[in-house]
Amino acid sequence: MKKHIYQTLCALASLSVSLNAAAEVKMPAIFGDNMVLQQNTDANIWGSATPSSTVMVSPGWTSEKYTAKADKEGRWRTAIPTPSAGGPYTVTISDGTPLTLDNVMLGEVWLCSGQSNMEMPMKGFKNQPVEGANMAALRSRNPDIRLFTVNRNSSTVPVGDVTGAWAEAAPESVREFSATAYFFGRQIEEILDVPVGLVTAAWGGSACEAWMSDEMLEAFPEAVSRIPAPGTKIPSKNRTPSVLFNGMLSPLVGLSMRGVIWYQGEDNWNRAHSYADMFSTMINGWRGLWGQGDFPFYYCQIAPYDYAIITEPGKEIINSAYLREAQAKVEKMVPNTGMAVLMDAGWHEGIHPPKKRVAGERLALLALAKTYGIKGFGAESPRYKSMEVSGDTVIVSFDRAPEWIAGRQSFESKQFQLAGQDRVFHPAKAWISRSKVMVRSDEVPRPVAVRYAFENASEGDLFSPDGLPVSSFRSDDWPDARPIKE
């Protein structure tokens, strides 16, 4: 019964826009001038009109007309077949009083969500720049890239619409838009040569729990206990469970799109134990609500950063490598996903690393290879497979390493540790041997466990020959991290 009530409320919220006494068509903000509709699909479109009227939709790419019946409150919804990429077109919606959407393109639509590293605009944050942003913005004018930013909104109940507007890519619009999302979209548009629409719904500091519905959170009692009752005060606008799903995502549910890119995890760094299950539940939950199958979902692994900077004096410094480990697990838990590894793109002193082009383009590599089927380039980082012990040496093997393993500037790595039965890790010497890495330490004559870059701010130094970094990893499953011996 609870599920039925939730679905009913969500459907009503997602279909509704503000109604007034005037008999005229109104559209949610996501359907407006300069928008991109997903190509080669039955594109969902909805709005409000005169109650009980017949709404006619006339897209400019065909002479066909499509009709929908408004309900007694004026809500209507339909799906319009879209051909291959092109435009610009007009789309006219009428219940007797027409509304025309101008400069509409057909192409590839991606939802871009997460916390501050997705939200971070091309202009950067105060004293935290985006590398190369000024020239990238200057050269950004492109009518085939369209941008929509969902304005921040936190709510205890699903709302009916978002605020925001579509804009063509140009210096003034790109400067204010998500840098990660823009670099992703720029690469997709350049390689595919089709229009790209980017919808960013992100809020700095937001928790994964905040982007999940009440129903998705049912498996996580601690989060459920913090869901605010409808109409009550929200303790944290960006961290409270379900409030960003209600305020920023729910109105977009059903928007026809190709897939999602996601950059989040920093807020969950100190509760990694639940993240793999929670993130997997969120992905599956979004897919279920959208009803568009297992659409692609590509995400960034959080970059190295010294979390001791934000830890109160005297409190335990929690190792964020456990969160990166949880993120890596999701690739194996959920189909049609991929993780962009950022071990070489962090910032020791700042949680907002400037290399947003690296993040966006690595997400684009995943999409171009796994979604669009382009071949002849590397898209996925090598992944830890197994270890074996030969005397005093550990031999580490990798998946996804057809061209073997490479170092940054040498065949050695400085980011490995070994431990024996005492579970105390010691720095180790590591060297690359074709597709494997050999690791040994004079302090650990009988090794039983190996770790690579398994600290908050470790900078990765293992790569594929295509330049894609290996994620931090460990062979053990020991629950408590112990200090590394100097």
Side-chain angles (χ1 to χ4, degrees), residues 266 269 305-313 351:
E266 293 88 352
W269 70 285
Y305 163 65
D306 185 4
Y307 281 83
I309 294 172
I310 59 173
T311 301
E312 295 179 18
I351 202 168

Side-chain angles (χ1 to χ4, degrees), residues 404-425:
W404 302 347
I405 300 297
R408 185 184 295 277
Q409 293 179 330
S410 73
F411 289 107
E412 295 186 354
S413 169
K414 301 182 182 302
Q415 297 294 337
F416 277 86
Q417 302 105 34
L418 289 179
Q421 292 291 351
D422 61 0
R423 299 190 177 187
V424 177
F425 282 90

